[in-house]
Amino acid sequence: MKIQDITQCIEDMAPLTLQESYDNAGLQIGNRMNEASAALLCLDITEDIIDEAIAKGCNLIISHHPLIFKGLKSITGANYIERCILKACKADISIYSAHTNIDNAWNGVNFKIAEKIGLTNTKILVEQQNMLLKLVTFVPIDQAEAVRNAIFESGAGNIGNYDACSYNLLGYGTFRAGKGANPFCGEIDELHTEQETRIEVILPVFKKNAVIKALLSAHPYEEPAYDFYSLNNAYARAGSGIIGELAVPISESDFLNHIKEIFSIPCIKHSSFIGKKIKKVALCGGSGAFLLPEAIKQNADIFLTGEIKYHDFFGLDNRLLIAEIGHYESEQYTKEIFYDVITKKFPNFAIHFSDTNTNPVNYF
C-alpha cells in the first residue's frame, strides 16, 4: 500500500480544493509512492510526535495542523519546524496534513464537534461560494440513462440531501462525419440528424475531472459535446462552522459544564450570561471568531469556538452567549475523523492515535 493510497482516502472526503487560500494542506514531506507501513494520527507535529512515530514503527504521520505553513529559506535546525523536517527526513517518515480543507468539509471537524455535543438538524453556518459547476451534454436518447448513471456515480447530480438530480430535454443534433472518423451513427461525408437528450447536472468543482472521465467512458459518441458553466450558487455541502440544535434546551451553566466534560477543559472563558436556555448552538473549531456575526444573524443562543479576541466580547447586547474553549481542545477529535475515513477503506492498515499531548497552552 502506497502513501498516496492512504492520503487519497482523506482527500476523497476533504478535497484540497476546499482549503483556504492561506493554507498549506496536503503531503508536506515524503514521496507519495513510498510504501506505507503504519500511520500515526495527531493534531500538531512536534519533535516528540516524530519520536513517537519512530517508536511505533510508523512511516506516515497524519496531522491536522500543517508543520510547514510559511515559506522556508533554509533548513538548519534553527527552530522546532526545521528540526522536525530534518528528523522526519532522516527517519524516512512522510508527513501529511489536512487542515482547513477538513474544517470546511461535510462531516469534517465542525461536524465532529457537533456530534460530540449532541446537536441535531446540523447545517453549515457559512456555505462556500464559487464551488459549483453545471455540466451540459447531449446524448442519443437510447443511451441517455447509461450516461446519466455514469456521471451520477462519479459525483455529479447531488443537491442537498438529494442525489441523481438532473434536467433532461429532448431535441436533435446534427453533424457530418469526416474522413478518418468512426461515427456511432450516420455515414461518412453525410449530414446526420440524431434525436438526443440534453442532460444538465450540477457538481462541485473538485469532481470535474472524475465526471469528465465517466462521461467520456459512457458516452457512445467518438467526440461527445459537453459544456461546463460556473455557478454563483452557494455550495451547501462545504463551508465554515456549524449550526444545530440540542434535543432539549438546557441552562447556560449546564451547557458549559457539558462542554467542559466532553472536551476535558478545566475552565471556559465566556461572555455574560443572558438568562435564557441554550437550544440553538453555532460553533467553529480553532480560530472561528470571524463567524460571530453570522451566528448572531442566524439567532444562535451560543457561539462556541477555540479562540476569541478580547474585543469580540463587546457589543453583544445580550443577543447570545459566546464561549472560548481552547484551540487544541476544540479540534482534538479530528484524529477520529482520520481514523474512520482510513479504516473504512483499509480496515487492516495499522493506525495509531498519538499519546503525545501537543497542546502548548497550560492552565494553572
Side-chain angles (χ1 to χ4, degrees), residues 175-333:
F175 54 85
R176 179 184 289 116
K179 289 182 173 59
N182 182 27
F184 171 73
C185 49
E187 303 296 332
I188 300 294
D189 288 333
E190 292 185 5
L191 183 64
H192 179 76
T193 299
E194 182 71 23
Q195 294 294 315
E196 295 177 335
T197 301
R198 173 189 171 111
I199 301 174
E200 299 184 11
V201 294
I202 291 175
L203 62 142
V205 293
F206 53 83
K207 293 287 187 179
K208 182 179 179 181
N209 290 339
V211 170
I212 291 175
K213 183 178 179 180
L215 171 64
L216 297 180
S217 177
H219 204 293
Y221 285 174
E222 186 176 27
E223 298 288 347
Y226 61 91
D227 305 300
F228 284 100
Y229 300 90
S230 297
L231 303 180
N232 290 327
N233 307 51
Y235 182 40
R237 304 285 291 185
S240 303
I242 287 290
I243 189 164
E245 297 179 341
L246 294 172
V248 178
I250 60 176
S251 70
E252 294 163 301
S253 59
D254 285 346
F255 181 79
L256 292 183
N257 280 327
H258 178 55
I259 296 301
K260 287 171 68 175
E261 181 179 353
I262 291 170
F263 296 93
S264 300
I265 305 170
C267 59
I268 293 179
K269 186 191 297 183
H270 63 85
S271 61
S272 298
F273 283 175
I274 58 178
K276 65 180 293 188
K277 288 187 178 290
I278 301 297
K279 172 71 173 179
K280 184 179 286 189
V281 179
L283 61 87
C284 182
S287 302
F290 68 98
L291 292 172
L292 180 56
E294 189 63 29
I296 295 173
K297 181 180 177 180
Q298 296 196 32
N299 298 314
D301 299 318
I302 186 169
F303 178 65
L304 194 76
T305 190
E307 295 181 38
I308 300 175
K309 293 181 179 179
Y310 173 76
H311 287 96
D312 290 328
F313 286 88
F314 287 95
L316 297 175
D317 298 327
N318 287 327
R319 287 175 292 183
L320 84 171
L321 178 67
I322 61 175
E324 178 181 336
I325 68 172
H327 196 123
Y328 177 94
E329 288 82 357
S330 68
E331 297 179 332
Q332 61 186 290
Y333 296 115

Side-chain angles (χ1 to χ4, degrees), residues 1 5-6 9 37 338-352:
M1 190 178 302
D5 296 326
I6 305 301
C9 292
S37 60
F338 295 147
Y339 180 86
D340 292 341
V341 168
I342 296 170
T343 56
K344 182 177 180 180
K345 187 168 185 179
F346 301 111
N348 296 321
F349 181 68
I351 298 179
H352 302 271

